Amino acid sequence: MIGVLVTFTQAEKFDSSVLAKTADELREPFEGMPGLRFKSFMLDEAGLRARNFYVWDDEEKGRSFFTEELVEKVTGIYGTRPEIEYLDIVGFVDNSGT
């Protein structure tokens, strides 16, 4: 299992309502995506960093998803190039089924 943290940082605050609308519009392609356990769209308290967090069941699928083409696409959506961090998930709690 691998986690991927994608961070978009800007000097001006992100508009949270615009980000919420973007998250809603981009949700469908991720639903049922093979290998993707979950994805979240987040905004930090200061409003300067939009973050997307992914958990992939398979490291290869997680790493191969973030192509240069995808990075260019999301740069256009968010207005800033993302920083992508790959994280080794060493423990996981999933309460969604309870």
Side-chain angles (χ1 to χ4, degrees):
M1 194 176 331
I2 188 171
V4 184
L5 181 61
V6 180
T7 303
F8 303 89
T9 305
Q10 20 178 85
E12 302 280 324
K13 285 187 172 187
F14 283 97
D15 182 328
S16 62
S17 63
V18 170
L19 286 181
K21 183 177 184 228
T22 299
D24 189 51
E25 291 170 355
L26 297 177
R27 175 189 196 109
E28 187 177 337
F30 294 101
E31 293 176 341
M33 183 177 280
L36 179 64
R37 184 168 294 201
F38 74 79
K39 176 185 187 271
S40 62
F41 297 85
M42 303 173 290
L43 181 61
D44 75 339
E45 285 185 300
L48 301 176
R49 291 182 299 179
R51 290 180 158 166
N52 296 337
F53 186 66
Y54 301 75
V55 173
W56 296 88
D57 288 324
D58 179 86
E59 182 174 350
E60 184 179 329
K61 285 182 182 175
R63 287 184 180 274
S64 66
F65 179 75
F66 297 95
T67 63
E68 186 58 34
E69 181 181 349
L70 180 78
V71 169
E72 291 300 320
K73 181 178 179 178
V74 297
T75 297
I77 292 169
Y78 286 86
T80 186
R81 189 169 178 87
E83 175 187 347
I84 300 173
E85 298 175 73
Y86 296 93
L87 308 163
D88 186 21
I89 296 177
V90 297
F92 189 77
V93 175
D94 182 357
N95 292 324
S96 62
T98 60

